[in-house]
Amino acid sequence: MAPRGFPYADLQSFIAALEAAGELHRVTVPVDPTLEISEIVTRTVRADGPALLFERPTRGEMPVVINLFGTEKRMAMALGVDRLDEIGERIGAIAKPELPVGWSGIREGIGKVLQLKSMPPKKVKSAPCQEIVLKGDEVDLNKLPGLQIWPGDGGIFHNFGLTHTKHPETGKRNLGLYRLQQHSKNTLGMHWQIHKDSTAHHAVAERRGERLPVAVAIGCDPVVSYAASAPLPGDIDEYLFAGFLKGERIEMVDCVSVPLQVPAEAQIVLEGYLEPGERLPEGPFGDHTGYYTPVEPFPVLHIETMTMRKKPIYHSIITSKPPQEDHGLGKATERIFLPLAKILIPDIVDYDMPAAGVFHNCLIVSIRKRYPKHAQKVMNAIWGAHLLSLVKLIVVVDEDCDVHDYNDVAFRAFGNVDYARDLLLTEGPVDHLDHSSYQQFWGGKAGVDATRKLPTEGYTRGWPEEMAMSPEVVSLVDKRWKEYGL
């Protein structure tokens, strides 16, 4: 069932809940947002430590909160559930009956969920995010404790700015999560990648010779922050999705200087525009791939207005080689979107996106194998499925393999595969940040068939039976276990 009386109205209430649960630590000594915070957070994440609230950053005029989503427990808390699978189960129960298979089924599935549990945004006239309004020369991004995370970064970055745009012709809103490099006190580099919806909005505005209005909200409630990262189809409103997750309408307020709306409970909002044709070098940046992404030209956001709460809290995230805080966000997407992936590809029993593969380089899939080359059929379907098309390595296993048990998966992938026959090689699109591909945006991919092979696939030796102890002996040892003194 949908949550009732969602516990967090804003970032402050989520922080209070984390602290009450022993999931947040306050750092009361001065800490430098240039590199020092990054090293502290990285060590904390790798020790499965708590969210951190840096009360006295040595740069900027407000505290920094970080590592909010670094564990599955905190990610579930952020979404108001005990288990991340609960949301997927809710979606599956609503979306499953009589929907068409394939991409149209995905769109209709999400549409049906949002229609039956419709929670459209609610417009309000005044909002906490506009308690302070700075315009023109008053705008100063140095009021924010933006982070430099790695020594080779090109400067200060704002890493959890929820970016709002509208399609210049259709008026369709998009909410996205992109890194923002601070170029000056009132300009930001917009690192939106080639596959993102905001990139399409900007392309249309440039074709029409128009400025594109943009609003960036920092420090939103945890559900809205997650929704900005969710891989939704372009015609699905992220705020409808957030309303469904939260079980209540998201309050939105008109921006002061651009024709957009932003979450009323945000901490900080940056309003401005992109000039058609304008680009500046952006980067380098130490990204979640574990490597620096190179300098590339990206659009420039000119900030006309900066609004904020009277006592704002600045929210950011650290990027690094896994494990890192985005593990919680990626795992939430994996579990929430499983029922919709099954609509698109009904053969899927379960899947896992390993954090070490930064959630888009590798996908482990279990299937109920029914015919020759079934695994290869599933591989090709995945490579044709929205953002799953960016996956580089797919490992397909039988349904009796737990895809979340990497030892069992490795046992199948190492032992069940004849790499002269069971390896499918192809080429296709890869992530904008992928450094291994010889050409940017596309490269090689591999699919590994680690299922049991059928005679109709040319395997004529008779697949061996896997060893298992008899249930009687297992039961006997269970009963006598204490006698053994072990």
Side-chain angles (χ1 to χ4, degrees):
M1 294 181 63
R4 295 180 180 178
F6 198 83
Y8 323 120
D10 56 15
L11 180 59
Q12 279 84 351
S13 57
F14 182 48
I15 289 171
L18 291 177
E19 191 163 29
E23 288 287 334
L24 180 130
H25 174 73
R26 292 176 181 266
V27 180
T28 59
V29 297
V31 179
D32 194 342
T34 299
L35 304 181
E36 188 178 8
I37 284 181
S38 175
E39 178 65 14
I40 295 168
V41 173
T42 298
R43 294 188 189 191
T44 302
V45 169
R46 292 175 182 174
D48 290 326
L52 298 173
L53 181 62
F54 294 94
E55 296 183 337
R56 299 169 63 193
T58 58
R59 180 164 42 73
E61 300 178 1
M62 60 197 71
V64 178
V65 70
I66 204 160
N67 196 27
L68 292 179
F69 310 123
T71 64
E72 290 184 43
K73 177 182 178 180
R74 284 202 297 280
M75 192 69 240
M77 285 183 66
L79 298 178
V81 294
D82 295 324
R83 299 177 299 110
L84 293 174
D85 281 300
E86 289 178 33
I87 300 171
E89 290 162 4
R90 281 171 49 205
I91 291 174
I94 298 169
K96 183 181 287 187
E98 300 178 357
L99 283 174
V101 170
W103 181 241
S104 63
I106 284 272
R107 295 174 64 186
E108 288 189 34
I110 297 177
K112 184 177 179 183
V113 167
L114 299 183
Q115 181 181 19
L116 292 179
K117 299 291 183 180
S118 181
M119 294 289 174
K122 176 184 178 182
K123 183 178 175 180
V124 296
K125 293 182 179 180
S126 62
C129 69
Q130 295 175 349
E131 289 173 340
I132 297 173
V133 178
L134 305 174
K135 293 185 176 182
D137 291 339
E138 296 177 312
V139 171
D140 188 359
L141 292 172
N142 295 311
K143 293 179 179 293
L144 309 180
L147 306 182
Q148 181 177 345
I149 300 175
W150 296 102
D153 284 355
I156 293 171
F157 287 82
H158 305 277
N159 293 335
F160 224 109
L162 277 58
T163 302
H164 300 73
T165 60
K166 278 187 179 180
H167 192 287
E169 294 175 344
T170 68
K172 175 64 184 175
R173 172 172 51 206
N174 182 68
L175 172 64
L177 182 60
Y178 317 109
R179 77 180 190 229
L180 308 166
Q181 182 174 1
Q182 185 170 321
H183 290 318
S184 71
K185 68 187 289 284
N186 62 354
T187 58
L188 292 170
M190 305 295 295
H191 188 273
W192 44 37
Q193 300 162 22
I194 190 172
H195 305 108
K196 304 299 185 180
D197 293 323
S198 290
T199 305
H201 291 186
H202 186 221
V204 173
E206 288 197 312
R207 190 189 71 216
R208 293 161 59 100
E210 299 173 353
R211 289 177 168 180
L212 182 71
V214 177
V216 177
I218 298 173
C220 297
D221 83 64
V223 172
V224 170
S225 293
Y226 168 70
S229 75
L232 295 169
D235 56 352
I236 299 296
D237 189 331
E238 286 84 2
Y239 282 102
L240 275 178
F241 183 60
F244 165 76
L245 293 177
K246 200 169 183 178
E248 60 189 43
R249 300 168 71 182
I250 307 298
E251 292 190 345
M252 309 283 287
V253 68
D254 287 338
C255 288
V256 173
S257 57
V258 294
L260 296 166
Q261 293 183 339
V262 289
E265 299 293 341
Q267 306 294 305
I268 305 133
V269 177
L270 310 175
E271 304 176 9
Y273 61 87
L274 308 181
E275 287 283 4
E278 183 182 18
R279 303 289 190 279
L280 280 179
E282 194 272 356
F285 179 73
D287 221 309
H288 65 279
T289 60
Y291 296 88
Y292 288 104
T293 52
V295 175
E296 294 183 89
F298 276 93
V300 181
L301 175 60
H302 296 265
I303 301 167
E304 295 183 308
T305 304
M306 181 176 182
T307 74
M308 64 181 74
R309 290 174 175 242
K310 290 180 180 177
K311 293 184 177 180
I313 299 173
Y314 179 83
H315 177 211
S316 193
I317 191 170
I318 297 299
T319 52
S320 78
K321 174 183 176 180
Q324 195 45 267
E325 180 186 350
D326 58 3
H327 168 79
L329 295 166
K331 188 57 66 172
T333 291
E334 175 194 293
R335 304 325 300 166
I336 290 171
F337 284 84
L338 175 61
L340 298 172
K342 289 182 177 182
I343 293 172
L344 185 62
I345 309 169
D347 317 75
I348 293 175
V349 173
D350 198 0
Y351 65 32
D352 184 276
M353 301 173 181
V358 294
F359 292 100
H360 56 69
N361 284 337
C362 178
L363 187 69
I364 302 165
V365 182
S366 60
I367 65 170
R368 188 172 297 111
K369 187 170 179 177
R370 295 185 291 112
Y371 47 80
K373 299 300 178 182
H374 193 169
Q376 286 78 359
K377 181 255 191 184
V378 170
M379 295 172 195
N380 285 304
I382 290 169
W383 282 320
H386 195 41
L387 289 182
L388 287 177
S389 64
L390 303 181
V391 171
K392 294 200 296 183
L393 174 65
I394 300 172
V395 180
V396 183
V397 294
D398 289 300
E399 64 176 319
D400 61 348
C401 177
D402 179 358
V403 293
H404 311 295
D405 181 347
Y406 297 156
N407 286 330
D408 196 12
V409 172
F411 174 74
R412 313 283 181 121
F414 299 160
N416 286 3
V417 179
D418 178 339
Y419 282 92
R421 293 174 177 266
D422 302 331
L423 182 66
L424 177 62
L425 299 177
T426 187
E427 292 180 331
V430 297
D431 188 77
H432 189 127
L433 303 178
D434 190 282
H435 62 277
S436 68
S437 58
Y438 284 57
Q439 299 289 329
Q440 192 174 27
F441 307 131
W442 65 273
K445 297 164 179 281
V448 177
D449 179 2
T451 63
R452 299 176 182 86
K453 304 309 179 297
L454 305 173
T456 47
E457 293 175 301
Y459 187 88
T460 58
R461 298 172 57 195
W463 197 262
E465 179 183 357
E466 187 173 344
M467 299 174 296
M469 182 53 67
S470 64
E472 295 81 9
V473 173
V474 171
S475 178
L476 172 66
V477 172
D478 285 344
K479 292 176 181 178
R480 296 195 61 194
W481 188 254
K482 290 184 179 179
E483 294 181 41
Y484 307 144
L486 297 173

